[in-house]
Every structure is written in C-alpha cells, then in structure tokens.
C-alpha cells in the first residue's frame, strides 16, 4: 500500500523506504528472488539521487541474498563495493559514523572468501573486522559473530588451538549479552573442536548444550546439524540405540525443513 501511494504521489523518499522494507520482509521469509527485485528497484532510486549511503545499503542487502543463494563471487563484488562507499562516507563525516556498516562488510567479505576457499584473504577480513569491533564497539553481537566465523575458518584449516580460543571468546560475549542463538552456534564450534581432538565425551557435552539452546530459539537448521553430529558420535561409539534415536530425529527435522522450503517455493 505504501509503495502504491508513494508512486502515485511521486514521493521517491517514501517509495525507497517502502521498497527496502518490503525487501527486508521477503528476505527474512526466505523469498530471495522477490527480495532481490525490491532491493534492485531501491538501488536504482538511490543511484538517481546519488545517495551513496543508500547505494551501499542496497549492495549489502543484495550481497546477503547472494550469500544465501551460494553465489559467492557476486556477494564478494557487492560487499567490496559497499565497503568502499562506506569508507568514503566515513572519511567525509564524523569518524564515529558507519562503523557498524564497515564491520559488517568485513564480516561478510570474510564469509564470501571462506566459501570461495580464499582462506588467507578471509582471515584478513575477519581480523580487520575484529580489530575494528574491539576498538569501536566493545562486547557486541558483531564482534562475537566475527570471532565465531574466524573459528569456523580455523576449523576448515585444521588450526584447532585457534578454534578453541576464538570460539570461547565469542561464547563469553554471547553469554554476557544474552544471545542464546549465538551461544548455540558457539557450542557447535567448541563441539567440533573437541571432535577434532578426539575427545568424544566433551564433544557430546557441547553438542547437547547447543542442541538444547537451538530448540529453545527454534533454529531448525542448527538443530539438524547438531543432531546429525550426535548421530555420528553414537554411531562411531557403537551405541546403536542412541544412534537410531538421533537418526529418526534428524529425519523429522529434515522433513520439516523440506516442508517449509516447499511452502516458500509454492508461494
């Protein structure tokens, strides 16, 4: 309704805000193609107004969609362009502005590079984001996300000692700020660390901690991942009853995710 009224009244500012909001709603519901269409219209309006902040915001949103659709090269290009714009804006304004946006760009650039197997470049982006977040934000969700993502990169590289340190620092921040979904993610990372060390008892302990919180915050995909790891642990230990229990639960969770994805596709 807002878009229709704005178009009829030639109010580009309200039209831009409405398009961006619609894109955000579609994005959170998993309708990525529909979200992208709204963000693209928003981007065109920002370019017409030469609004660099709006252009960079649109590029971040479009990059986030590319990440979710596994188009990591396009995501990388979007985030690099957005970072360049935000850094330019920060130099021309109060130095305290645009810090969250710049840190977010570093985090997302790290994710894109990690998925492209550019591990050294990924680590550099994560570390830049971490250093800036420590300086500008203190204990924050962004800092915890960066630390946990860096731990994930270290897991990919087999650097287990570094995994433990970064994952535990992220966990401490997430407990401090009561981020339960984040805590569950940290427990997953620590469980994978103990799996890599061959400490199966500790791995089970953290898998259970993560699974309990993932249930509490209704994170189905994380539940599925952790349940699969629980199945693997019990299966390797030769505990068939427990392995079967988690295999059945995994099937139920996967069916639920597939059903929800099917509903999105039909919509």
């Amino acid at each position: 309704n807002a878009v229709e009224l704005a178009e009829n009244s030639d109010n580009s500012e309200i039209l831009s805000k409405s398009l961006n909001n619609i894109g955000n709603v579609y994005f959170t519901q998993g309708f990525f193609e529909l979200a992208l269409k709204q963000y693209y219209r928003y981007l065109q309006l920002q370019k017409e107004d030469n609004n660099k902040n709006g252009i960079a915001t649109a590029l971040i949103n479009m990059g986030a969609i590319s990440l979710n659709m596994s188009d990591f090269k396009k995501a990388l290009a979007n985030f690099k362009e957005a970072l360049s714009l935000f850094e330019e804006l920060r130099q021309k304004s109060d130095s305290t502005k645009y810090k969250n946006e710049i840190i977010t760009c570093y985090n997302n650039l790290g994710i894109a590079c990690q998925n492209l197997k550019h591990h050294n470049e990924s680590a550099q982006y994560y570390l830049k984001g971490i250093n800036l977040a420590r300086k500008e934000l203190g204990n924050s969700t962004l800092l915890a996300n960066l630390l946990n993502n860096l731990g994930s990169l270290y897991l990919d590289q087999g650097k287990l000692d570094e995994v433990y340190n970064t994952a535990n620092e992220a966990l401490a921040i997430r407990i401090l700020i009561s981020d339960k979904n984040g805590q569950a993610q940290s427990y997953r990372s620590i469980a994978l660390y103990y799996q890599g060390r061959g400490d199966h008892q500790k791995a089970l302990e953290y898998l259970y901690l993560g699974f309990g919180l993932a249930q509490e915050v209704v994170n189905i995909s994380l539940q599925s991942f952790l349940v699969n790891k629980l199945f693997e642990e019990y299966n390797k230990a030769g505990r068939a009853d427990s392995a079967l229990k988690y295999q059945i639960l995994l099937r139920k969770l996967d069916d639920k995710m597939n059903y929800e994805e099917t509903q999105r596709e039909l919509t």
Side-chain angles (χ1 to χ4, degrees):
N1 287 337
V3 167
E4 185 178 346
L5 287 169
E7 286 178 328
N8 290 335
S9 63
D10 294 324
N11 189 323
S12 63
E13 182 181 356
I14 297 298
L15 178 59
S16 293
K17 289 180 179 178
S18 301
L19 289 168
N20 192 52
N21 287 338
I22 293 171
N24 292 343
V25 172
Y26 280 141
F27 180 81
T28 56
Q29 293 182 349
F31 304 133
F32 298 130
E33 292 86 353
L34 294 173
L36 190 61
K37 180 180 177 182
Q38 307 305 320
Y39 289 145
Y40 185 76
R41 284 193 67 195
Y42 172 77
L43 174 63
Q44 296 309 113
L45 288 170
Q46 299 311 297
K47 285 183 175 179
E48 289 172 12
D49 293 338
N50 196 30
N51 181 354
K52 291 184 178 179
N53 184 26
I55 293 169
T57 298
L59 288 167
I60 282 185
N61 291 341
M62 294 167 76
I65 289 174
S66 295
L67 282 183
N68 277 277
M69 298 179 73
S70 299
D71 190 346
F72 302 114
K73 288 185 178 179
K74 185 177 287 186
L76 188 65
N78 284 334
F79 293 133
K80 281 185 175 180
E81 188 176 350
L83 177 62
S84 178
L85 287 169
F86 281 129
E87 286 178 335
E88 179 185 338
L89 287 165
R90 189 171 190 180
Q91 289 175 0
K92 294 179 179 178
S93 64
D94 180 354
S95 62
T96 61
K97 291 186 71 176
Y98 305 111
K99 57 189 177 185
N100 283 14
E101 290 87 347
I102 290 172
I103 294 167
T104 297
C105 285
Y106 281 137
N107 187 43
N108 289 338
L109 282 164
I111 293 169
C113 287
Q114 184 177 350
N115 280 281
L116 289 168
K117 309 300 182 187
H118 302 164
H119 289 159
N120 290 336
E121 195 176 353
S122 176
Q124 289 174 11
Y125 282 126
Y126 286 143
L127 289 169
K128 283 182 179 179
I130 287 167
N131 292 334
L132 189 57
R134 287 193 204 280
K135 178 182 174 183
E136 301 281 3
L137 304 178
N139 293 327
S140 66
T141 300
L142 268 176
L143 175 57
N145 289 347
L146 281 156
L147 287 164
N148 209 64
N149 288 343
L150 181 60
S152 170
L153 176 64
Y154 287 146
L155 274 170
D156 288 350
Q157 296 176 297
K159 298 179 178 179
L160 294 179
D161 289 338
E162 288 89 341
V163 173
Y164 184 81
N165 294 332
T166 54
N168 273 283
E169 186 179 353
L171 175 61
I173 293 170
R174 286 164 163 173
I175 290 173
L176 185 66
I177 63 178
S178 301
D179 177 5
K180 290 186 176 181
N181 188 60
Q183 288 175 53
Q185 301 278 358
S186 292
Y187 287 138
R188 173 178 68 176
S189 296
I190 297 170
L192 293 175
Y193 161 79
Y194 281 116
Q195 275 191 328
R197 287 291 188 202
D199 189 338
H200 301 292
Q201 193 58 44
K202 276 287 188 181
L204 283 171
E205 178 185 335
Y206 281 96
L207 287 171
Y208 279 123
L209 286 169
F211 180 57
L213 282 175
Q215 285 183 305
E216 189 175 338
V217 299
V218 198
N219 186 331
I220 304 298
S221 63
L222 183 55
Q223 286 180 53
S224 178
F225 179 91
L226 294 168
V227 165
N228 186 49
K229 291 298 177 183
L230 284 164
F231 161 73
E232 288 177 2
E233 283 294 316
Y234 285 119
N235 192 44
K236 281 188 287 188
R239 297 173 60 179
D241 288 349
S242 295
L244 179 60
K245 170 186 172 182
Y246 288 106
Q247 180 65 23
I248 292 170
L249 181 54
L250 177 63
R251 181 67 59 84
K252 289 179 179 178
L253 288 167
D254 285 347
D255 285 347
K256 186 172 184 180
M257 282 196 296
N258 289 335
Y259 173 79
E260 291 176 354
E261 181 61 29
T262 300
Q263 294 305 302
R264 281 200 292 268
E265 292 293 336
L266 286 170
T267 303

